[in-house]
Amino acid sequence: MKISALDSVKYTKPLQNRVQTKVTTVPHNLKQSHASALSLLGNYNKALVNFKGYYGDQQPAKKLFWILKGNSDVYEDNETKRDLFKGGNTGWKKWVATRPEDLLKRSPMDAIQSICTLNKQPDCYPGIPSYIPSPNYGDKWGRRANYIEINPRTVALTEGDKKSEGLLNVMKLLPAIPPSGKSNANCIVLSQLYPAMYRENDGKTGRSSLYTVDLHSGISKNLTSDKLSRGNQRMGDDEQVKAFNDMAHLRGLKTGIRMPLSAGQMTVKGEPFDWYKHEKAFIDACCWAVDLGFDAIFFDSAKHVGNWDMGNYCGVGAVPNFKQMQYITQQIREKTGRNDVALIGEKCDLNPRFKEMGLTAGNDWGRADDFNNVMHEYDKQRWNDEYAAGPVISDDNDRGGMPFEQRLGRIKTALNAYREPGWKLPVYMQMHDLFPLSPYSNTHDLMENGENRSTYGDVASHYNNIFNTSEASRKYTSDVYNEFLNAMYQ
């Protein structure tokens, strides 16, 4: 992760507090290292962060659909059936080959009906189940998953200087993303969940780096919609997040978020972040994301925890110490009751310190251009089911320019470099590795800025100008689909 110089932080009005649900037990060795600090900060933390997690409608996807349509009747989507990917017999693992810019021009109601059409059983009507669990790949699924990061602000509804509905628009893309395979999960990682530090630009175009975050100030307005109401029913921001996760899970995908670890890139309700003063605030923000339905957290700058290899550190401000990170990962799992949560560390390799920190996976380990190199790394890690470090197709610092052939070769290597699928290395990639961006866009700049790329002020051309609409790009995506298909039933 690389971030440009930070602007001054603006203070914002705190939102309504939430109440913590329970007190958890901490292992004795962690208690000793944190007892004095937590004792001093206990009263402060209680006042600052009172948090209980998700408290909205228990069937938010059904509520969302009813608000969008006015009734609960889910119809088969003929456009979905027409555009099914025809690269082979995909069985129940279906997806569409519709171009991303065209999917974004559809309505959110169409997106839900498309997902339900893909998911329905034979001789049944499509519908939204009352209970939608996350796809079950066991507690260690994250150690071998394929992670695909998507920036919801990039694909958000962009009208003039306003950005909104990022979650609904990522939902529109879900039908075109291959679902999880037989042995390994595909996980969508959102670049943003909470507002950036630059609160004046949240929900607007302009510079607002997603490498920053303001915790406990609600969900980013880049992601939510203020139009989702019918009669006396309204979708709260947390309900919109939970509905997104439910639809992604119905689609057969895991979900996650990106979280920074650099103190200078975080605030808590506008107050500059301090790792000792705000440790609980950080943990609770992570737990809230899990309570909202996310299955994974990608920690930016995780390699540098404990001031490790700081000569290559590109972040701003202090990172947590080693014991703090152990405590943080332990608390996330214990407070949420989710032992299956995947915790991924940026640039983390085979050093045992990363497993000891409680991480599930590290990225950028193994040269994705070299099949034999990745196989070598696979052989070294194949019997460790607690933690593995794997290759990156591209990361958030990607400036574009990599030839399609090289990207495709990396994907082919990463998805196939194993002897047994249960021990496959984790793989990290970006949205543009599936849906190439316009030659005038790149992932890093889009992380730093939320521009309106419309040609004439219309919404449709903004979508067209995000993505590469050439025939070469279309063929590349088809070739990528075939690689996912080849690995689907392994």
Side-chain angles (χ1 to χ4, degrees), residues 125-349:
Y125 294 107
I128 302 171
S130 298
Y131 172 63
I132 305 174
S134 180
N136 185 1
Y137 284 82
D139 286 357
K140 309 301 182 185
W141 69 271
R143 178 247 177 258
R144 60 184 185 274
N146 302 312
Y147 298 97
I148 306 167
E149 184 171 7
I150 295 178
N151 183 340
R153 184 178 67 181
T154 295
V155 299
L157 176 66
T158 305
E159 303 170 296
D161 68 347
K162 182 180 179 182
K163 277 190 171 284
S164 63
E165 302 190 8
L167 289 170
L168 292 178
N169 276 10
V170 176
M171 192 185 298
K172 294 176 187 179
L173 295 178
L174 295 180
I177 297 174
S180 299
K182 177 182 176 182
S183 302
N184 301 309
N186 293 339
C187 179
I188 303 302
V189 177
L190 301 185
S191 300
Q192 181 184 31
L193 176 63
Y194 302 128
M197 277 169 49
Y198 313 101
R199 290 301 307 279
E200 68 273 18
N201 278 335
D202 190 54
K204 297 181 180 179
T205 58
R207 186 185 184 282
S208 184
S209 173
L210 300 190
Y211 294 120
T212 70
V213 63
D214 187 34
L215 303 175
H216 297 282
S217 294
I219 307 300
S220 171
K221 298 304 179 187
N222 294 324
L223 276 65
T224 58
S225 171
D226 57 7
K227 303 171 186 174
L228 292 174
S229 62
R230 185 177 292 272
N232 63 353
Q233 294 291 312
R234 179 186 178 278
M235 287 292 289
D237 289 355
D238 55 345
E239 291 177 319
Q240 294 180 46
V241 177
K242 188 66 166 62
F244 165 79
N245 280 317
D246 280 354
M247 295 311 297
H249 291 156
L250 184 62
R251 181 74 192 93
L253 297 162
K254 293 284 194 179
T255 59
I257 64 164
R258 170 185 284 263
M259 281 286 283
L261 287 175
S262 301
Q265 295 165 218
M266 293 187 283
T267 50
V268 179
K269 294 182 177 179
E271 180 178 347
F273 188 91
D274 178 89
W275 268 113
Y276 290 96
K277 186 176 183 181
H278 298 116
E279 179 186 80
K280 180 179 180 295
F282 182 85
I283 292 169
D284 280 354
C286 293
C287 291
W288 189 26
V290 176
D291 284 337
L292 290 174
F294 291 101
D295 306 291
I297 301 174
F298 176 83
F299 291 114
D300 205 0
S301 296
K303 176 181 181 179
H304 303 291
V305 165
N307 295 324
W308 182 267
D309 191 24
M310 294 301 277
N312 293 311
Y313 180 53
C314 297
V316 177
V319 292
N321 65 47
F322 184 83
K323 288 187 178 294
Q324 268 187 312
M325 196 66 192
Q326 285 184 312
Y327 180 75
I328 288 165
T329 58
Q330 182 272 337
Q331 284 288 284
I332 291 170
R333 292 185 171 106
E334 184 159 336
K335 283 191 172 187
T336 61
R338 290 278 304 273
N339 287 326
D340 65 325
V341 172
L343 305 177
I344 306 99
E346 184 192 30
K347 303 292 185 183
C348 293
D349 56 26

Side-chain angles (χ1 to χ4, degrees), residues 72-140:
S72 300
D73 299 327
V74 180
Y75 295 149
E76 287 197 42
D77 183 59
N78 289 327
E79 187 171 321
T80 295
K81 294 193 290 186
R82 182 195 70 203
D83 291 344
L84 284 175
F85 175 62
K86 299 179 177 62
N89 178 17
T90 55
W92 304 123
K93 308 287 188 180
K94 297 183 175 73
W95 65 93
V96 301
T98 311
R99 298 294 292 169
E101 64 271 16
D102 293 332
L103 287 172
L104 292 174
K105 296 168 191 173
R106 304 195 78 198
S107 72
M109 183 187 75
D110 290 335
I112 292 175
Q113 294 193 141
S114 178
I115 292 170
C116 291
T117 299
L118 290 166
N119 186 71
K120 83 175 192 69
Q121 298 298 312
D123 303 320
C124 293
Y125 294 107
I128 302 171
S130 298
Y131 172 63
I132 305 174
S134 180
N136 185 1
Y137 284 82
D139 286 357
K140 309 301 182 185

